[in-house]
Amino acid sequence: MTEREQWGTRAGFILAAIGSAVGLGNIWRFPYVAYENGGGAFFLPYLFALLTAGIPLLIMEFTLGQKYRGSAPLTYARLNKKAEWIGWWQVAISFVISTFYAVIIAWAIAYTFFSIRLSWGNNPEQFLQESYLQISNPGEFGSLVPNVLIPLVIIWVVTLLIMFKGIKRGIELANRICLPILLIMFLTLVIRALTLEGAALGLESFFNPDWEKMKDPSVWIAAYGHIFFSLSVGFAIMITYSSYLPKKSDINNNAFITGFSNSSFELLAGIGVFAALGFMATQAGVSVDEVANAGITLAFVVFPEIINSFPGFNGFFGVLFFGSLVMAGITSLISIIETYIAGIQDKFKVSRTKAVIFGGGLSALVSLLYATQGGLFLLDTVDYFVNQFGIAVAGLVSVIVVAWFLKKLPDLQKHTNSMSDFKIGIWWRICLGVVTPVILGYMMIQNFILNFRNNYAEYPLSFLLSAGWAVALGVLVVGILFSLKKWKKDPQKSLDEGG
Ligand code: PHE
Ligand code: NA
């Protein structure tokens, strides 16, 4: 058996982990989630979730991958044969996410070009829905939309080429190129936004804490949900990436660097976006609340509006914004695809090329569904259900199984401490074994109740059953089915042989 591929350098691994974490979530998701959940009051729950769940889980996943040296399914199989299904479940979730994540990047590519001539005109919302996406009704697919299809094909070609090249010459190199570009483009944009008239007004509303809201459990739920999504934990990604680490590597430091880099970027995005919203509110003579409450369309509706009213170089700043989304998105997309490439390679003993063709090819095909006129509703629903009832539930299950059923936390702690400069203590086991299961478990139950009572986004129930619940349940079933197939070679033995 050939040696498992490895990162070229330590920095290569950290860059890739940061590249995965920093994504669309930081730029369009965090600002509106923070704002909706009490602005400044969101930071406390956010920090709490980061320190008690996000980083501890990141350390757990890094340690698992580095110690057991396999894709998520192989890692869980080596941990315990009965736990393999968790790995496949996470891989199946990642597969589903990759199908629509690619589509959002495709929109961003299109919007990068639209920026040049401000093609969205005076009514970006109408432009998005009617001219660009040509949306129909939930559950109706209509025909393929060429303006989505073309950038989608481009993004798949680029991404799959990166995947063919492998860890060092593909993923590591792509991150080395995309991340510096992202940082420069985004910093330029944020600095410009901060110097706009009215910026202070926007920041004030972003940082102004609404303390009443902190008593609301849903704020805490949102903080946990966002931390999981934002750090890419619970998706098999960090396990997969750390399986390519050398046999001796510092884990604890890497986890903290990744976690804090991601949060810094998120804060930066929040500051930039709200400074710009403050500017827009000032221009329109309304309060920031009126322009900020835009939910997931913030990036593709409110931003074009902001760009329209920029005092100069409008097209340039539009390119910076949507270009940032593309750069941040690509490095996250490749991390999520690598989970199933690695899983297929490990279990079916096929070459990387074959795994990319089958896994990536299938994902590309499925993603065409979102390039149809019904794509927006489908994407919105799948995104919501896979996040709430996929990632979060799978993350919770993995913690409970590792901590309580397999009782592996002391082992893992010893392993990571033996290699890391700074040591993690008992707090790590308490966070993972007690705090996270209790709070996340409570969040889960609340969330199920909420969704049984109210139809998400008031979509028809039949649509939610097929595009939402069936997908969330389907990833679990697919995960279990994959774990039933026998390994060609005993996973336990191949670890001892150093495979
Ligand atoms: N962490 C990424 C972000 O903040 C989201 C992501 C999710 C990336 C799933 C890869 C996979 O956008
Ligand atoms: Na993130």
Side-chain angles (χ1 to χ4, degrees), residues 13-74:
F13 165 73
I14 298 183
L15 275 182
I18 295 175
S20 171
V22 174
L24 305 175
N26 301 54
I27 302 178
W28 68 261
R29 196 174 189 278
F30 173 77
Y32 80 78
V33 173
Y35 181 78
E36 279 176 357
N37 289 287
F42 184 69
F43 287 124
L44 211 58
Y46 174 88
L47 265 182
F48 185 82
L50 175 72
L51 295 174
T52 64
I55 292 184
L57 205 58
L58 197 57
I59 294 178
M60 182 180 107
E61 296 199 344
F62 277 177
T63 310
L64 282 173
Q66 200 272 346
K67 181 167 194 242
Y68 294 99
R69 323 196 64 68
S71 58
L74 181 55

Side-chain angles (χ1 to χ4, degrees), residues 21-22 26 230 262 266:
V22 174
N26 301 54
S230 189
N262 180 59
E266 220 147 52

Side-chain angles (χ1 to χ4, degrees), residues 29 33 37 42 45-46 49 213-214 216-228 384 388 392 439-448 450-451:
R29 196 174 189 278
V33 173
N37 289 287
F42 184 69
Y46 174 88
K213 271 218 155 160
M214 246 194 74
D216 178 354
S218 74
V219 171
W220 290 80
I221 292 173
Y224 270 83
H226 184 74
I227 284 292
F228 274 47
Y384 178 80
Q388 308 279 322
I439 300 187
L440 204 56
Y442 171 78
M443 140 182 174
M444 223 76 272
I445 295 166
Q446 291 296 321
N447 208 22
F448 268 109
L450 201 77
N451 273 278

Side-chain angles (χ1 to χ4, degrees), residues 20-26 97 101 229-232 235 237 262 332 335-336:
S20 171
V22 174
L24 305 175
N26 301 54
I97 293 178
Y101 208 80
F229 183 85
S230 189
L231 279 180
S232 313
F235 296 86
I237 293 177
N262 180 59
S332 296
S335 73
I336 208 161

